[in-house]
Amino acid sequence: MAFSNRVRSALTTTVLATAATGFLAGCGSDDEEEQVAYCTNEDGEIVDDEYCDDDYRGGGGGLFFLYLGAFRGGLPVGTVLPSGGTRVDPRDTAARQRYGLPGTGTVASGTRVTGGIGSGTGGNRTSGS
């Protein structure tokens, strides 16, 4: 069966547009993996970032966590985060890095981590210990 050039052009355009849409949808999936980190106490309440510095000497070992989840940024101290996030011991360098956080130092509340576990991309901010 022979097709005219006009029909071939229309089919080619349709196929390419469909392929591009699928490709772009796949690229957009990183947004779903974006997580936000907050320093929390054992009840999931946001506390000052200093408590989650890997070098914190206040005697609170095991009582504070870096809590990662699909939370919005800019939440104030005192906000209780919903369950469903991931708790990371701020003293565990390997775990911090596995979740895309810096291995040492303070992680600023609201730090966004994108690209999935261990990618380490997405605007991590740290301050020295």
Side-chain angles (χ1 to χ4, degrees):
M1 177 177 270
F3 292 107
S4 72
N5 286 339
R6 181 180 267 165
V7 171
R8 277 190 201 143
S9 178
L11 287 172
T12 300
T13 301
T14 302
V15 169
L16 289 175
T18 302
T21 301
F23 176 76
L24 291 175
C27 289
S29 66
D30 281 346
D31 290 340
E32 295 172 348
E33 296 176 20
E34 181 176 81
Q35 301 214 9
V36 177
Y38 284 99
C39 180
T40 68
N41 62 19
E42 60 189 358
D43 297 322
E45 180 180 340
I46 298 173
V47 296
D48 287 334
D49 297 341
E50 69 180 275
Y51 297 116
C52 289
D53 187 323
D54 66 316
D55 202 23
Y56 176 66
R57 305 265 186 236
L63 299 178
F64 299 102
F65 303 92
L66 290 166
Y67 197 52
L68 290 102
F71 313 119
R72 64 183 168 93
L75 297 175
V77 169
T79 302
V80 177
L81 297 173
S83 61
T86 301
R87 284 184 175 185
V88 177
D89 183 336
R91 299 166 297 172
D92 186 343
T93 301
R96 288 169 61 132
Q97 291 174 335
R98 187 170 46 251
Y99 286 98
L101 296 167
T104 60
T106 300
V107 175
S109 284
T111 295
R112 295 185 183 283
V113 181
T114 58
I117 294 174
S119 70
T121 62
N124 295 330
R125 251 184 35 211
T126 63
S127 60
S129 46

